[in-house]
Amino acid sequence: MAVLPIRKYGDEVLRLPAKPVDEIDASLLKLIGDMVDTMYAAPGVGLAANQVGVSKRLMLIDLSVGKRPQELHVFVNPVIVESEGEITEEEGCLSIPDFVEIVTRPERVKVRYLDRNGSERTMGGEGLMARAMCHEIDHLNGTLFVDHLRGLKKDRILKKISKLVKTGMW
Ligand code: NI
């Protein structure tokens, strides 16, 4: 297993809609292992495959960041099938380090996906879990949390980020 470099805002792979996984083979399982190591090393509560440069519909969430093994969830080809309520909280992203902003997300979602054994599952998430699910699925669609911001707040954060990208400080 290995810790992979995390792609940052400005990297094209983060903007491409990721392709569905068609086979859960040895190379995908190795990628999952590397992504787990990468997420824990960061540390973060979620990671999408395109954040390590692989444009596939695969993502991880572990709200315990490795403290409780049963809290690691691997989602292959995840789809939101139900969504309700609204909750507004701070949110950040490993691909946009050191920036947090307030983003409104659904309070509860239900996600259908394949687990790492290829079994179809449905999982409900509330609060932080729902937020993480939406955030990571956004990644798979080429969307970043700053895309949800509006007006001056958005202008300000994008200006700061593009300055960092230009100066190679990222
Ligand atoms: Ni993110």
Side-chain angles (χ1 to χ4, degrees):
M1 300 300 151
V3 173
L4 306 170
I6 295 177
R7 305 301 182 94
K8 304 273 169 59
Y9 185 99
D11 192 314
E12 226 170 78
V13 73
L14 295 175
R15 290 310 196 173
L16 297 173
K19 294 194 184 69
V21 171
D22 48 24
E23 200 187 351
I24 301 175
D25 55 11
S27 73
L28 196 87
L29 293 174
K30 166 147 191 349
L31 173 64
I32 290 169
D34 290 347
M35 283 175 61
V36 171
D37 286 354
T38 305
M39 178 173 73
Y40 291 161
V45 298
L47 190 70
N50 46 357
Q51 290 183 278
V52 294
V54 180
S55 194
K56 285 187 179 169
R57 304 192 80 81
L58 162 67
M59 66 189 212
L60 313 176
I61 295 174
D62 180 352
L63 299 183
S64 85
V65 201
K67 287 198 184 80
R68 291 178 290 278
Q70 71 276 16
E71 289 193 39
L72 172 63
H73 300 282
V74 177
F75 301 86
V76 175
N77 299 338
V79 180
I80 295 174
V81 291
E82 276 179 48
S83 164
E84 63 174 43
E86 238 183 47
I87 187 159
T88 300
E89 294 272 5
E90 262 188 357
E91 189 169 320
C93 178
L94 296 176
S95 294
I96 313 178
D98 303 326
F99 287 88
V100 285
E101 280 296 343
I102 303 277
V103 181
T104 300
R105 297 282 190 184
E107 195 174 2
R108 277 177 294 279
V109 293
K110 213 170 254 181
V111 173
R112 196 171 61 215
Y113 63 103
L114 300 177
D115 66 16
R116 65 176 115 182
N117 303 311
S119 307
E120 194 170 302
R121 287 175 176 264
T122 304
M123 179 174 154
E126 242 186 272
L128 183 57
M129 177 54 82
R131 176 169 301 273
M133 286 166 151
C134 294
H135 179 112
E136 300 310 328
I137 289 174
D138 265 4
H139 271 301
L140 302 182
N141 295 327
T143 300
L144 299 168
F145 82 89
V146 291
D147 300 335
H148 294 284
L149 306 176
R150 292 287 170 261
L152 282 177
K153 200 188 252 184
K154 185 171 192 170
D155 296 346
R156 208 163 48 225
I157 192 167
L158 292 184
K159 203 181 266 178
K160 280 189 197 161
I161 292 169
S162 64
K163 206 179 269 177
L164 287 171
V165 173
K166 270 192 211 123
T167 56
M169 295 284 287
W170 211 215

